[in-house]
Amino acid sequence: MFGYYDIPLEIVTEEISLSLEREGEAFIYRSECADTKVEKLLLLGAGKVLINPVEPLNKPKELTSSLLIEFEKNLLVEPKTTRKIFITYPIEIGVLIYSNGDVEVLDILTLARQKFTLYGNPRSGVICKYWRSKVCSTRPAVNPLHEGVIELNITNMTSNWVKLTKAVFNAYGMKIYYRDDLVAMRARMKIMHGHNAETDFIDAPLEAGMTKAMELYTAKKLQVTTTKFVMEVGL
């Protein structure tokens, strides 16, 4: 269902339905996803709609820009090496409307379960969107309306074996690419002295033929100061 659409439009899948239809001098937008219904009236002359995966930190509320992915199994990384794993993350789908050169976020849909957690202590910790993922040595098969894939390149810069139980990411650095059967990102983690780690994203598709998604902070014209996350209170 991802891609550009002319208006009016109607999209119906087994789990998501949305439409944008003319009603008099305006258009009416309707969507239904995971028992959530949305209806909006648009005073719109002409335009196009883009449906693409967005940074997964908007539902149920925009409480944080951090995503914590807990691994189902602990991961041991040998010293002075770089290794690659694959993990999953929750999908959120943005419905964006293009009109007269401007972009507006019309709706955000998700079929993924919603949960938040705290990274760090209650006084100074960071609220994070929470996701639990299996850890794979090869790309897992996923439903692209539910889950995306992150290729995570881990570099252990220390002289010790390091145990990893989680990864925390800054959504403002996410570079999402998609095609009909796959939504994916590429990221890296550097494990540094004191068992601290830094994560960021690689602006490149996981596989050939994928399209880069519109970044939601770009559509919203937000100022971004950093795209990295430093894990200082636990790996």
Side-chain angles (χ1 to χ4, degrees), residues 30-156:
R30 296 184 179 94
S31 70
E32 186 169 350
C33 174
D35 299 323
T36 299
K37 295 182 179 180
V38 173
E39 185 169 310
K40 296 180 179 179
L41 189 67
L42 280 69
L43 301 179
L44 172 71
K48 280 185 173 290
V49 169
L50 170 62
I51 300 174
N52 76 186
V54 295
E55 301 88 343
L57 291 132
N58 305 279
K59 306 294 282 186
K61 293 182 179 180
E62 294 181 59
L63 295 180
T64 177
S65 62
S66 301
L67 172 66
L68 186 151
I69 301 177
E70 181 183 34
F71 303 155
E72 288 185 353
K73 296 179 181 178
N74 292 344
L75 188 66
L76 290 174
V77 187
E78 66 177 314
K80 303 292 183 179
T81 58
T82 297
R83 295 288 184 263
K84 179 173 65 178
I85 63 169
F86 294 88
I87 54 178
T88 65
Y89 73 95
I91 290 293
E92 291 186 12
I93 300 168
V95 182
L96 300 96
I97 190 159
Y98 282 79
S99 179
N100 296 322
D102 291 324
V103 183
E104 180 65 27
V105 180
L106 186 57
D107 196 7
I108 297 176
L109 315 168
T110 186
L111 294 163
R113 62 187 183 275
Q114 307 298 313
K115 186 176 179 180
F116 292 90
T117 191
L118 185 69
Y119 176 70
N121 63 61
R123 275 186 177 273
S124 58
V126 178
I127 296 173
C128 300
K129 187 76 170 286
Y130 173 86
W131 183 255
R132 185 172 170 84
S133 170
K134 56 189 175 184
V135 178
C136 304
S137 58
T138 59
R139 179 171 71 83
V142 295
N143 182 334
L145 295 183
H146 288 258
E147 292 180 298
V149 173
I150 298 176
E151 177 196 272
L152 181 60
N153 295 275
I154 303 168
T155 299
N156 182 1

Side-chain angles (χ1 to χ4, degrees), residues 55 96 98 102-105 171-172 174-175 212-224:
E55 301 88 343
L96 300 96
Y98 282 79
D102 291 324
V103 183
E104 180 65 27
V105 180
Y172 293 144
M174 291 180 176
K175 307 297 180 184
K212 187 175 182 180
M214 164 68 74
E215 294 159 355
L216 204 57
Y217 66 83
T218 299
K220 292 180 177 179
K221 301 180 176 64
L222 299 177
Q223 293 285 339
V224 176

Side-chain angles (χ1 to χ4, degrees), residues 163-176:
K163 181 175 74 172
L164 289 179
T165 64
K166 64 180 76 69
V168 186
F169 300 99
N170 181 353
Y172 293 144
M174 291 180 176
K175 307 297 180 184
I176 303 173

